[in-house]
Every structure is written in C-alpha cells, then in structure tokens.
Amino acid sequence: GDRLRGVQQVLASPTLRTVETAKVVTGSHNVLQLPGLYFEPRSPAMKAADADLGYAPLRAFLDKYPGLYDSWSLNAAECVRKAWKCEESVLVVGHHTYISLLARRLLEEEWVESADANFKEAGTRLLDEINLGEACGFELDGARGQVTHLESPVGTDFSRMTSNDAFTTTAPDGKPS
C-alpha cells in the first residue's frame, strides 16, 4: 500500500499470477509484461535443481548449483534495464528464487546505488537467507540504503506448494499462467 506509492513503473513476468499480483499491490493496471522475467524455458539442469531444492533460500541454490543460474540472472537484469523508463522507483514482480537472483544481480552490478557502504553486503546477505514465498519480493532502496523483504500477508504453504512448478500451468491460449 503506502510503501508502493512512489512506484512509477511496474514490470512483471507475463504469467497471470505475477501480473495480477502487480495490479493488486499497486492498484495499477499499467503493468509492463516482460517475457525475460519468466523462468521458462529452463535448461534440464535448472529444472532438476529447482525440483531438488524447491522453495529454499537463495544461498542453497548458489551453494549447491554454482553458476547454474548466471545466464538467466544476467538476461533478466538486462531485460529490466532496457524496460526501466522512469527516474525513480520501479516494481519488478517475478517468481521465487528467480526474483531473488535478479535482485542479487542488480546489487552485484551496483545498478542500485547507495551512499551506505553496507548496502550491497547487507542486501546480498538478506537476499541469500530469505526463503521467499509466493507473491513476495524485495525493495532495493539505495536512497535509504536498505533492502527490504516484502512479505505476502497470505504466506505460502510450503508443505503443499513445494516449488514454482506447483503453480505452473498453461492457459488455453498456450501462454503461461
């Protein structure tokens, strides 16, 4: 609600659940859908890693599968950079693990700048440790020198929904939902 009032642009993976989440949390129907933020197509190795770890903190993925997601996060960061047309806040809505990978990449590349010397280190530590549920995310605020976990008021039942694949379906038009 109030935290997102300054958002000038909303970017989202083109799935129904991410677009609807973006609309609900911002009250805006002006959501730019970016195919580069969706996690498909994944390599067989990425599918196996996702199935192996399911919903887990990012650090588990980085430790067990070093480098596996580098290409995806580089492409997603480039997709956001090309789409970002505003001077200030942008909201990016994506999927578990992948939104964490994107936020971490943006911090690593110092795309979000801050005068706070601990911003990058503290932000990276938070991104690595949180087991992000569905419809959650991160705010990267260089002006305040903070990375904030934006929790969903609904939460994720990790015993029922064990990974992104629990939500993956294809709509009748062939597009992901």
Side-chain angles (χ1 to χ4, degrees), residues 14-162:
T15 64
L16 180 61
R17 65 187 162 124
T18 55
V19 172
E20 289 301 314
T21 296
K23 288 177 182 179
V24 167
V25 300
T26 63
S28 171
H29 293 281
N30 188 16
V31 177
L32 180 58
Q33 298 178 38
L34 301 177
L37 296 180
Y38 188 48
F39 55 87
E40 293 289 6
R42 291 175 286 173
S43 69
M46 288 170 68
K47 286 182 180 182
D50 290 353
D52 177 36
L53 294 175
Y55 285 134
L58 183 58
R59 175 54 43 206
F61 286 87
L62 297 174
D63 286 348
K64 190 164 184 180
Y65 300 101
L68 180 61
Y69 297 90
D70 287 353
S71 178
W72 184 91
S73 66
L74 284 167
N75 289 336
E78 184 61 22
C79 181
V80 168
R81 273 194 288 281
K82 286 179 179 177
W84 191 355
K85 303 293 184 210
C86 62
E87 293 290 321
E88 296 181 21
S89 289
V90 62
L91 173 67
V92 181
V93 181
H95 306 273
H96 182 279
T97 308
Y98 294 88
I99 196 68
S100 302
L101 287 161
L102 172 59
R104 194 176 202 280
R105 174 67 63 189
L106 296 174
L107 278 178
E108 286 173 352
E109 293 180 0
E110 298 182 0
W111 189 56
V112 179
E113 297 177 11
S114 177
D116 183 337
N118 296 318
F119 175 61
K120 184 176 172 181
E121 181 182 332
T124 300
R125 191 171 44 252
L126 175 68
L127 292 167
D128 287 357
E129 294 171 1
I130 295 287
N131 187 4
L132 197 66
E134 283 301 309
C136 297
F138 299 101
E139 176 186 17
L140 307 180
D141 186 340
R144 291 186 325 199
Q146 288 183 283
V147 175
T148 305
H149 174 217
L150 303 172
E151 295 185 58
S152 169
V154 177
T156 300
D157 180 353
F158 292 113
S159 64
R160 249 187 76 236
M161 300 301 193
T162 58

